[in-house]
């Protein structure tokens, strides 16, 4: 019984291709080599027992699934120096051509799962539309804050992974909701006997980003079962923005018509100005709240004197008087003028902020099975994981005050003016601790001696996962900032209305305060720390049976039937300060709480149509269907049809067509209605658009749209914040539906050890659910080529006269559609060489032909080929083996990309040119491995040539930047690094 069950359990590992037939690193999308090239009977070894293939629940006696599947082994990741499950998956070409959520991305932006989370998104359709399984069974989400819905890959230790099967096709009819873009099936190790100790270390050439991992496992195979237990600990050290030359200085990266760089020069250094957030300035307004050109900045290093005048020549009457050491800066329209060159942009707090957060993970994983009798086996899995992530950040904040003629704490500042000091602070730390538990228990077997059910198997299991995340963060107290605004005297004796703190007279306009150096009293008054908690639970009960219905001339008709029950619940309680609506610059949020229940029934058929005929060696049809009922949405049916046609032994074609759907995630339904107050400065691209255009900080067409809207070029944005309303869409949201089509050709010639697979894919998602974000709504309106009729422009309003944005509506909504299509190419070639060695070459590449999003009908945007969405990515791996030695050379390639289709690459006058494209980039990895009887050692170099992320112009394309580099998940920010892996068994 145990050996019989081993065949069944090994099925998901094989994923349609025997490891002995295909490369151990990439199985060619199920392009099996011919079983025989003569008329002789196939060797006995090919008559294997029927196996379950990823993408189907029907056992098959040959590797003949119509679905395209990519198989990645953990060994490949080890040879490339990859130490995480996310790294293994996100570098696959089905993922690398679109933005992924890495720990750096999730720490820099607001993403689902919270800071430190790492997910996988296939085809660029989003992690919510990619189903992740462990050993063929659904895995519950993990993370913090209200947006938890995808599997956090941090919970899966790479040391436990044997390989990963990626089904590159929609599969809701097979696996249920969320399998829109495809399925990732993580197969764990189960063939260990005895103890195994594994240690890994990665040391970058430059400080920061060091990685280490250690694991110990024990396994035992019994006559009637097996048991494996492992413990894994891993740590990634913080990498700061200032740790790399390509991230520590955000240059404009602009040129003149001859290609010569013309970045603004900082006269204090004689070099190109480093840019990030402006800091330590005092913004200036008159009593009508009209903004003045220029800001006050303190001369901290004593270098401003002699470089610029204290006040613009001849305009002293138009500016406030200021204490010694303050200069007026940034008033000139000429970006090369010294008053612009001395603007303080790159705060030391920026250099100390986290690019890659500190991350620690501890995981216990166990799995086992035991034969109760010859027909029934009990099995189980246990996964316990703790992730602790810490990141350091910084931010601006500001308030408004009169000059010293009215405000006694603004002494030295004179005239009828309003001062808006804008200090920066490093009191912007985040921390998360996520405890994740997953339990699986089940029974499987056959029907014993019941003759009419001979050959049928059954499987029933339950999976329960529980994620508890505690998240803490520094906050600025809104009532502490507001109580001092427009003051005319001391606030001592007053108490803040929400935080109940005794008021402190904060020295907002002093040089120390502007630089983020506070007294203990000021720091205790203005700042606080809060902690929230997120709990996500998922219970799954599933049962299925599979076998042969009857026999046709071409073979057995296979069938599988089953049911699926799933209940999800979320409870997110933000910190006390957020609940009270007292976080400056952030939203008022309540408790997000809700649950949902899905009940499903599914069936699948595999029908052999022809066999052994000319040009029809084997022709089979696969059919699957699923009926789903979700409490929050209603009912839906999905289907899938597949055709697999073996024309001749060396040539096979396949095709699939199917539908999928995704019910709204819990946070999309139940996110508590919240109201936030976004500052005009962070929301409105039209603020001082004339000056920003002249200084190269704003594209020409955005300035044109601002002007067309009647907004003056000097619009200051001063005044009240915009009210942003947002919330879940229960009762208003529709489920997403999708259609997917694939066509494939597989060639396995007999004259060479060569396998080639080409697959065309096309996926269209309708009624996609998203929350655009207030800044994206406003910016998208003014960046739209259809301004002002773009529907985004209807989601916010401006107040006539003041031109201030008064309200933005940012609810979850169904947008029109998203579509993705392209071509996957997989090539594998093996060649025996002299001295008993063998060379294996693997190529995996994806051409993306279309990546469109229509936010509303008639507003389709094609982002294919844009920065962060290259239209081609590839992997080329060379592996040379001789006995116990393995040499490896891997190349990860990212194609060129450009935003020039939608964004101007030069100004209207043709005097300034912007780099809004990224060039072809390749990362090389070299390693050498030697295996001994009971241990092995592997050493190598990742990013051999120390390739830097591409540099781009700041604030010009639809991309983000860090330092001089584009910030996108495809690129390596660690730089060259050495890695070492040692494994011992005993």
């Amino acid at each position: 019984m145990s050996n019989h069950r081993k065949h069944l359990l090994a099925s998901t590992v094989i994923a349609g291709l025997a490891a002995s037939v295909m490369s151990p690193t990439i199985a060619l999308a199920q392009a099996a080599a011919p079983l025989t090239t003569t008329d002789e009977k196939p060797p006995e070894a090919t008559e294997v027992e029927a196996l379950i293939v990823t993408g189907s629940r029907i056992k098959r006696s040959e590797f003949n699934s119509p679905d395209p599947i990519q198989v990645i082994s953990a060994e490949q990741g080890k040879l490339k120096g990859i130490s995480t499950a996310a790294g293994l998956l996100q570098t696959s070409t089905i993922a690398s051509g679109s933005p992924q959520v890495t720990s750096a991305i999730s720490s820099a932006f607001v993403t689902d799962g919270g800071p430190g989370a790492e997910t996988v998104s296939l085809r660029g359709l989003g992690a919510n539309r990619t189903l992740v399984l462990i050993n063929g069974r659904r895995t519950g989400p993990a993370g913090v804050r209200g947006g938890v819905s995808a599997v956090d890959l941090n919970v899966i230790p790479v040391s436990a992974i044997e390989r990963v099967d990626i089904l590159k096709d929609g599969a809701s009819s097979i696996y249920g909701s969320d399998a829109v873009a495809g399925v990732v099936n993580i197969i764990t190790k189960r063939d260990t006997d005895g103890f195994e100790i594994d240690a890994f270390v990665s040391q970058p050439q430059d400080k920061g980003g060091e990685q280490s991992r250690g694991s110990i496992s024990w396994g035992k195979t019994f006559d009637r079962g097996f048991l494996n237990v492992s413990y894994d600990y891993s740590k990634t050290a913080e990498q700061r923005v200032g740790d790399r030359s390509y991230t520590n200085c955000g240059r404009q990266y602009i040129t003149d018509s001859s290609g010569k760089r013309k970045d603004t020069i900082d006269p204090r250094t004689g070099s190109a100005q480093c840019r990030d957030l402006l800091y330590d300035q005092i913004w200036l307004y008159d009593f009508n709240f009209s903004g003045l050109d220029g800001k006050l900045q303190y001369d901290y290093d004593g270098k401003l004197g002699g470089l610029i005048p204290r006040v613009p020549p001849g305009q002293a009457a138009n500016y406030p008087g200021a204490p010694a050491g303050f200069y007026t800066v940034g008033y000139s329209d000429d970006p090369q003028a010294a008053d612009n060159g001395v603007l303080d942009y790159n705060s030391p707090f920026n250099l100390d902020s986290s690019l890659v957060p500190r991350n620690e993970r501890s995981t216990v994983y166990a799995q086992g099975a035991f034969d109760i009798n010859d027909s029934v086996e009990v099995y189980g899995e246990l996964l316990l994981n703790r992730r602790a992530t810490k990141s350091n950040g910084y931010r601006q904040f500001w308030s408004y005050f009169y000059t010293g003629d009215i405000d006694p704490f603004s002494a030295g500042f004179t005239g009828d003016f309003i001062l808006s000091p804008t200090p920066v602070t490093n009191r912007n730390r985040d921390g998360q601790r996520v405890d994740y538990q997953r339990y699986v228990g089940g029974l499987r077997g056959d029907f014993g001696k019941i003759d009419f059910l001979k050959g049928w198997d059954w499987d029933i299991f339950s999976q329960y996962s529980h994620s508890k995340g505690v998240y803490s963060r520094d906050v600025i107290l809104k009532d502490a900032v507001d109580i001092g605004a427009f003051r005319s005297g001391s606030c001592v004796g007053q108490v803040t209305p929400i935080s109940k703190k005794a008021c402190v007279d904060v020295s907002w306009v002093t040089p120390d305060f502007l630089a983020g150096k506070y007294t203990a009293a000021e720091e205790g008054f203005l700042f606080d720390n809060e902690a929230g908690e997120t709990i996500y639970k998922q219970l799954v009960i599933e049962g299925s049976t599979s076998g042969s219905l009857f026999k046709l001339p071409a073979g057995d008709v296979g069938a599988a039937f089953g049911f699926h029950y799933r209940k999800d619940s979320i409870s997110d309680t933000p910190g006390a300060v957020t609940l009270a609506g007292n976080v400056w610059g952030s939203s008022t949020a309540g408790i997000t709480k809700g649950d949902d229940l899905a009940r499903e029934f599914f069936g699948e058929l595999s029908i052999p149509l022809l066999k052994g005929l000319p040009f029809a060696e084997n022709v089979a049809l696969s059919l699957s269907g699923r009926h789903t009922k979700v409490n929050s949405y209603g009912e839906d049916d999905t289907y899938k049809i597949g055709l697999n046609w073996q024309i001749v032994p060396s040539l096979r074609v396949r095709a699939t067509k199917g539908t999928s759907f995704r019910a709204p995630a819990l946070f999309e339904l139940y996110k508590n209605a919240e109201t936030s107050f976004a500052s005009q400065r962070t929301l409105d691209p039209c603020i001082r658009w004339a000056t920003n255009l002249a200084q190269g900080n704003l594209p020409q067409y955005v300035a044109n749209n601002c002007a067309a809207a009647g907004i003056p070029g000097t619009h200051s944005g001063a005044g009240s914040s915009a009210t942003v309303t947002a919330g879940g869409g229960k009762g208003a949201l529709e489920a997403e539906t999708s259609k997917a089509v694939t066509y494939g050709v597989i060639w396995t010639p007999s004259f060479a050890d060569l396998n080639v697979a080409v697959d065309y894919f096309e996926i269209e998602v309708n009624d996609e659910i998203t929350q655009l974000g207030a800044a994206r709504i406003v910016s998208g309106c003014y960046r739209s080529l259809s301004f002002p009729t773009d529907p985004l422009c209807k989601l916010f309003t401006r107040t006539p006269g003041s031109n201030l944005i008064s309200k933005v509506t940012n609810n979850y909504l169904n947008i029109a559609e998203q579509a993705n299509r392209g071509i996957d190419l997989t090539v594998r070639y093996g060649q025996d060489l002299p001295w008993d060695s063998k060379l294996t070459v693997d190529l995996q590449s994806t051409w993306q032909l279309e990546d469109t999003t229509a936010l509303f009908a008639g507003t389709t945007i094609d982002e294919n080929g844009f920065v962060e969405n290259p239209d081609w990515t590839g992997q080329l791996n060379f592996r040379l083996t001789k006995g116990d030695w393995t040499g490896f050379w891997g190349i990860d390639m990212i194609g060129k990309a450009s935003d020039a289709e939608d964004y101007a690459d030069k100004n209207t006058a043709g005097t300034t040119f912007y780099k809004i494209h990224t060039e072809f980039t390749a990362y090389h990895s070299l390693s050498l491995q030697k295996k001994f009887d009971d241990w092995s050692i592997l050493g190598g170099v990742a990013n051999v040539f120390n390739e830097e992320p591409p540099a781009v112009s700041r604030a010009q394309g639809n991309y983000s930047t860090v330092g001089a580099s584009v910030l996108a998940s495809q690129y390596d920010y660690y730089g060259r690094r050495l890695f070492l892996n040692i494994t011992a068994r005993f």
Side-chain angles (χ1 to χ4, degrees):
M1 176 65 183
S2 180
N3 288 334
H4 174 71
R5 289 294 158 224
K6 280 186 179 180
H7 277 297
L8 295 178
L9 288 172
S11 60
T12 49
V13 177
I14 294 177
L17 278 179
S20 60
V21 175
M22 301 309 302
S23 160
T25 57
I26 299 180
L28 290 179
Q30 293 201 344
L35 297 177
T36 178
T37 58
T38 71
D39 292 333
E40 298 175 359
K41 181 180 178 180
E44 189 70 21
T46 63
E47 300 297 330
V48 296
E49 187 167 0
L51 303 172
I52 304 295
V53 174
T54 297
S56 172
R57 297 176 184 273
I58 298 175
K59 294 177 296 177
R60 303 172 188 270
S61 59
E62 297 177 3
F63 309 121
N64 59 358
S65 169
D67 299 294
I69 294 176
Q70 179 179 347
V71 179
I72 306 174
S73 73
E75 181 76 4
Q76 172 180 313
K78 183 180 291 188
L79 290 169
K80 297 173 73 170
I82 295 174
S83 65
T84 65
L88 190 65
L89 290 168
Q90 291 175 349
T91 55
S92 64
T93 59
I94 193 175
S96 60
S98 55
Q100 301 294 319
V101 174
T102 65
S103 62
I105 298 296
S106 64
S107 297
F109 305 101
V110 177
T111 59
D112 293 347
E118 297 188 303
T119 59
V120 61
S121 165
L122 301 183
R123 307 296 193 200
L125 296 177
N128 288 339
R129 298 167 192 90
T130 299
L131 180 62
V132 177
L133 311 174
I134 297 180
N135 295 326
R137 291 175 284 272
R138 184 179 285 265
T139 305
V144 296
R145 302 182 180 171
V148 177
S149 63
V151 174
D152 183 0
L153 297 173
N154 284 293
V155 307
I156 305 167
V158 73
S159 63
I161 298 175
E162 175 69 27
R163 63 194 303 122
V164 180
D165 306 345
I166 302 178
L167 175 62
K168 304 187 290 185
D169 190 13
S172 281
S173 62
I174 306 294
Y175 294 108
S177 182
D178 305 342
V180 175
V183 178
V184 173
N185 190 9
I186 297 172
I187 310 301
T188 59
K189 296 177 181 177
R190 51 159 289 127
D191 58 352
T192 57
D193 259 309
F195 285 94
E196 178 177 291
I197 297 177
D198 188 73
F200 170 87
V201 63
S202 173
Q203 178 61 56
Q205 175 178 298
D206 297 310
K207 180 183 178 182
E210 295 85 358
Q211 295 179 331
S212 58
R213 180 183 55 77
S215 67
I216 182 170
S217 60
W218 173 83
K220 181 67 175 178
T221 300
F222 307 95
D223 290 338
R224 299 177 63 180
F226 76 97
L227 177 64
N228 290 337
V229 181
S230 66
Y231 171 76
D232 184 282
Y233 171 81
S234 63
K235 178 180 178 180
T236 299
E238 178 192 37
Q239 180 177 322
R240 303 176 305 163
V241 169
D243 286 339
R244 302 290 187 272
S245 60
Y246 44 85
T247 61
N248 67 8
C249 179
R251 295 183 174 91
Q252 291 170 287
Y253 213 93
I254 56 178
T255 60
D256 61 20
S257 57
S258 66
K260 182 180 178 181
R261 289 281 291 275
K262 58 177 295 186
D263 295 29
T264 300
I265 301 299
D266 187 339
R268 294 170 295 187
T269 63
S271 301
Q273 184 181 53
C274 291
R275 294 196 170 193
D276 193 70
L277 284 178
L278 285 168
Y279 75 100
D280 74 31
Q281 283 99 15
I282 300 176
W283 295 51
L284 304 173
Y285 306 90
D286 61 23
F287 276 1
N288 294 318
F289 248 129
S290 296
L292 279 64
D293 291 332
K295 309 165 184 64
L296 292 176
Q297 179 175 295
Y298 188 73
D299 185 12
Y300 290 97
D301 55 14
K303 294 183 178 180
L304 293 184
L307 295 176
I308 59 172
R310 291 194 62 195
V311 182
Q315 297 189 48
N318 298 324
Y319 286 86
F326 279 94
Y327 287 74
T328 306
V329 296
Y331 53 83
S332 173
D333 288 340
D334 180 5
Q336 300 298 329
D339 64 278
N340 285 315
V342 299
L343 278 166
D344 283 340
Y345 275 102
N346 202 26
S347 166
F349 294 154
N350 173 45
L351 301 181
D352 286 335
S353 63
S354 301
L355 176 62
V356 177
R358 171 189 168 95
N359 203 339
E360 288 188 80
R361 297 185 295 271
S362 296
T363 308
V364 174
Y365 179 72
Q367 63 173 328
F370 181 77
D371 293 342
I372 297 175
N373 55 43
D374 288 342
S375 297
V376 180
E377 178 186 66
V378 61
Y379 63 89
E381 294 180 35
L382 167 70
L383 175 62
L384 305 175
N385 173 270
R386 168 171 287 183
R387 169 173 67 89
T389 304
K390 295 181 180 179
S391 59
N392 296 301
Y394 83 110
R395 63 177 300 184
Q396 292 176 328
F397 67 113
W398 56 82
S399 188
Y400 298 93
F401 303 91
Y402 297 111
T403 55
D405 296 338
I406 300 174
D407 178 6
F409 301 100
S410 297
F413 294 91
T414 60
D416 295 335
F417 297 95
I418 295 173
L419 311 175
S420 179
T422 307
V424 292
T425 176
N426 61 354
R427 285 294 302 266
N428 194 33
R429 299 162 296 184
D430 274 290
Q432 298 80 36
R433 191 189 73 193
V434 181
D435 291 321
Y436 181 78
Q437 307 168 55
R438 179 178 182 264
Y439 307 93
V440 174
L443 295 168
R444 60 187 161 209
D446 55 39
F447 290 93
K449 298 180 180 179
I450 303 176
D451 288 339
F452 74 93
L453 292 176
K454 186 177 180 181
W456 281 76
D457 287 284
W458 55 270
D459 188 342
I460 186 167
F461 72 89
S462 177
Q463 183 259 174
Y464 174 75
S465 65
H466 182 284
S467 171
K468 178 182 178 181
V470 177
Y471 53 100
S472 63
R473 63 168 180 163
D474 287 333
V475 295
I476 302 170
L477 297 173
K478 184 177 182 296
D479 60 353
V481 173
D482 291 348
I483 198 171
F486 297 106
R487 61 193 172 189
S488 58
S490 174
C491 70
V492 173
Q494 299 181 46
V495 175
T496 54
I498 302 175
S499 57
K500 304 300 181 183
K501 290 193 173 187
C503 192
V504 172
D505 291 323
V506 177
S507 302
W508 280 83
V509 295
T510 62
D512 277 354
F513 191 88
L514 291 169
K517 300 176 182 179
Y518 317 113
T519 66
E522 290 172 337
E523 188 164 7
F525 177 62
L526 290 172
F527 302 100
D528 205 342
N529 186 274
E530 66 169 0
E533 181 182 85
T534 306
I535 296 177
Y536 196 106
K537 302 176 185 178
Q538 184 183 85
L539 172 66
V540 172
I541 301 174
E542 183 173 290
S544 62
T545 182
S546 64
S548 297
L549 289 176
F550 52 85
K551 196 174 187 66
L552 293 176
D556 292 335
V557 175
F561 306 98
F563 72 91
H564 178 92
Y565 171 96
R566 184 176 73 256
K567 184 173 183 178
D568 292 79
S569 65
I570 189 172
S571 177
D572 176 65
T573 304
V577 184
T578 297
L579 287 172
N582 196 32
V583 181
W584 185 92
S586 188
S587 60
T588 301
I591 296 172
T592 295
K593 189 172 185 177
D595 56 57
D596 210 352
L597 178 64
R599 287 144 291 177
E600 302 174 306
F601 297 94
F602 55 85
E604 185 181 357
L605 292 174
S606 176
I607 306 171
L609 301 178
L610 300 171
K611 187 174 183 179
L613 299 177
F615 304 107
E617 290 283 333
N618 201 324
V619 181
L621 180 70
S622 62
L623 304 170
S624 62
R626 195 179 194 98
H627 178 75
T628 302
K629 184 175 182 179
V630 184
N631 282 4
S632 64
Y633 162 66
E635 301 181 62
D636 208 337
D637 295 301
T638 55
Y639 73 88
K640 189 173 183 179
I641 303 172
L643 180 67
N644 196 14
W645 183 356
Q646 189 87 34
I647 301 173
V648 294
S650 62
L651 185 65
R652 181 162 64 93
V653 296
R654 62 185 173 206
T656 66
K657 180 179 180 180
T659 61
S660 294
F661 94 103
R662 184 181 79 90
L666 291 180
F667 73 91
E668 294 166 340
L669 291 169
Y670 297 108
K671 188 173 183 180
N672 194 290
E674 59 185 34
T675 300
S676 60
F677 301 94
S679 70
Q680 303 286 332
R681 294 183 193 176
T682 59
L683 195 65
D684 189 357
C686 295
I687 290 177
R688 289 193 172 96
W689 61 259
T691 298
N692 285 321
L693 174 65
Q695 295 179 356
N697 297 325
L698 193 72
Q700 179 70 55
Y701 74 98
V702 176
N704 294 343
N705 289 342
C706 293
I711 301 169
T714 57
H715 173 57
S716 68
S720 60
S721 299
T723 301
V724 181
T725 59
K730 189 176 189 306
L733 291 178
E734 296 290 333
E736 300 175 351
T737 60
S738 69
K739 299 177 182 179
V741 175
T742 67
Y743 305 100
V745 179
I746 300 92
W747 181 47
T748 57
S750 59
F751 57 79
D753 184 4
L754 174 66
N755 298 267
V756 180
V758 181
D759 287 285
Y760 170 84
F761 61 88
E762 184 175 324
I763 303 175
E764 180 182 302
V765 182
N766 293 295
D767 293 324
E768 184 173 296
I769 300 168
T770 191
Q771 186 182 36
L772 301 176
R776 183 181 174 189
I777 289 171
V778 179
S779 176
C781 168
Y782 289 101
R783 289 178 179 269
S784 174
L785 299 181
S786 59
F787 176 88
T789 59
D790 192 300
L792 289 177
C793 301
K794 298 179 181 179
L795 296 180
F796 68 94
T797 57
R798 286 187 182 272
T799 301
S802 70
N803 289 304
L804 295 175
I805 296 173
S806 57
K807 182 179 180 180
V808 185
T809 301
N810 183 36
N811 293 331
Y812 285 97
L813 70 160
N814 291 102
I815 66 173
E817 66 177 29
Q818 182 177 359
N820 190 287
R821 62 184 182 92
I823 297 173
D824 292 327
L825 169 66
T826 307
V827 180
R828 181 264 188 187
Y829 175 71
Q831 178 65 56
D832 291 327
L833 300 176
W835 304 295
D836 295 324
S837 59
K838 183 171 183 177
L839 175 67
T840 303
V841 182
D842 291 301
L843 170 67
Q844 182 79 31
S845 63
T846 297
W847 283 269
Q848 190 168 256
L849 304 177
E850 179 185 0
D851 182 17
T852 60
T853 301
L855 297 181
F856 304 94
T859 61
T860 300
I861 300 172
D862 190 349
E863 295 184 342
N864 188 42
F866 277 41
V867 177
E868 296 186 90
N869 289 273
D871 54 17
W872 181 83
T873 60
Q875 288 185 339
L876 181 60
N877 298 322
F878 300 87
R879 183 169 177 155
L880 181 64
T881 58
K882 177 177 171 56
D884 295 327
W885 289 89
T886 300
F888 178 82
W889 174 24
I891 310 171
D892 287 352
M893 299 168 284
I894 301 104
K896 297 184 293 184
S898 174
D899 283 7
E901 184 176 338
D902 281 359
Y903 298 89
D905 60 0
K906 59 181 179 295
N907 66 356
T908 303
T911 57
T912 301
F913 292 77
Y914 314 118
K915 184 177 182 292
I916 56 175
H917 67 270
T918 54
E919 47 278 329
F920 172 85
T921 304
Y923 296 106
H924 296 255
S925 301
L926 291 173
S927 64
L928 182 65
Q929 180 177 254
K930 176 65 167 73
K931 293 183 178 180
F932 301 90
D933 289 340
D934 296 320
W935 66 287
S936 64
I937 183 170
L938 182 151
V941 183
N943 196 350
V944 174
F945 300 107
N946 204 24
E947 185 75 27
E948 298 179 359
V952 291
S953 298
R954 289 178 57 85
Q956 295 301 325
N958 189 32
Y959 48 72
S960 300
T961 57
V962 55
S965 306
V966 64
L967 180 57
S969 59
Q970 291 91 355
Y971 301 105
D972 177 17
Y973 297 90
Y974 293 107
R976 183 189 294 119
R977 53 201 179 275
L978 302 175
F979 60 89
L980 179 69
N981 199 115
I982 298 175
T983 304
R985 301 175 183 86
F986 52 92

